[in-house]
Amino acid sequence: MRLILIRHGASVHTLRGIIAGGSSCPGLTDDGFKQAHLLAMRLRTMSEAADYQILSSPVLRARQTADVLARPGEIVSITQDSDLTEVHPGEA
């Protein structure tokens, strides 16, 4: 088994300079979606990534990235785990 760690694409919260986690995340920027699509294309060329499972935090920017990587038209499960969330800023 091979483990490939992937960080979410460019996000709105970084662009705006705000703290965002859990329910306050505004998601990916247009560039972030482009990055995720480019990565999805790259993963399809890698024999090491021919059969993969996706683990994602439930934060919107991570989930949006995972959704793009889940191979449109194919069933690739996405398992969400809040322990993968970078920070839990609470009401920040």
Side-chain angles (χ1 to χ4, degrees), residues 35-78:
Q35 291 168 343
H37 283 286
L38 287 170
L39 179 59
M41 290 176 13
R42 173 70 173 114
L43 287 173
R44 287 185 191 91
T45 68
M46 297 172 56
S47 61
E48 302 92 344
D51 183 31
Y52 59 88
Q53 295 294 313
I54 298 174
L55 304 174
S56 172
S57 87
V59 177
L60 182 59
R61 59 188 175 264
R63 180 57 197 228
Q64 289 173 325
T65 301
D67 287 343
V68 171
L69 299 180
R71 293 182 181 164
E74 295 181 36
I75 298 174
V76 174
S77 66
I78 300 172

Side-chain angles (χ1 to χ4, degrees), residues 3 5 10-12 15 20-22 24-25 29-30 32 35 38 44 46 48 52-53 66 71-72 77 84-85:
L3 177 65
L5 299 175
S11 58
V12 174
L15 187 65
S24 64
C25 179
T29 63
D30 289 342
Q35 291 168 343
L38 287 170
R44 287 185 191 91
M46 297 172 56
E48 302 92 344
Y52 59 88
Q53 295 294 313
R71 293 182 181 164
S77 66
L84 296 172
T85 303

